[in-house]
Amino acid sequence: VRLVESGGGTVQSGGSLRLSCELSGGSSVDYCMGWFRQSPGKEREEIGTSDPDDSPTYADSMRGRFTVSRDNAKNTLFLQMNSLTPEDTAMYYCARGPMGRWCSYMSGAASFVTWGQGTQVTVSS
């Protein structure tokens, strides 16, 4: 199973980006999928997760500007990011949890099994 993120880049403060995470060699059906980010010198933080029925859950600090969605037919997870600020500059990762475990039973990044390589997002002021 392989996860590949795309859509990162450099954007001006206030701008938007949409990230994609394509899964190959397996399925996203029956799996909790999630987006995380990590800045240099900081711990990896959760942005939001998506249950197999495409119902999202967000970390409190991420609520409002970020939208997680998925297309199971295409094995793809999306992250729409709006009103970006320089503080959003980070490497963004997608991940897949264990089969059959819904997101409400996950305990942060350590619960996710498969990770992508990440895509860099840089927000300039």
Side-chain angles (χ1 to χ4, degrees), residues 20-98:
S20 299
C21 170
E22 185 172 354
L23 187 153
S24 60
S27 175
S28 60
V29 176
D30 294 328
Y31 292 88
C32 170
M33 302 286 293
W35 283 102
F36 298 80
R37 70 182 186 184
Q38 188 168 20
S39 304
K42 295 185 178 181
E43 292 187 357
R44 189 166 297 190
E45 61 179 336
E46 183 175 314
I47 297 171
T49 58
S50 171
D51 270 311
D53 64 355
D54 197 18
S55 58
T57 304
Y58 300 97
D60 288 342
S61 62
M62 305 295 178
R63 203 179 303 276
R65 298 188 297 119
F66 296 89
T67 302
V68 178
S69 62
R70 66 198 289 168
D71 184 338
N72 284 333
K74 297 181 179 180
N75 282 334
T76 303
L77 182 73
F78 302 100
L79 178 65
Q80 177 68 42
M81 307 186 293
N82 299 324
S83 302
L84 289 165
T85 72
E87 288 68 38
D88 295 313
T89 294
M91 186 70 79
Y92 284 70
Y93 300 90
C94 68
R96 190 181 79 166

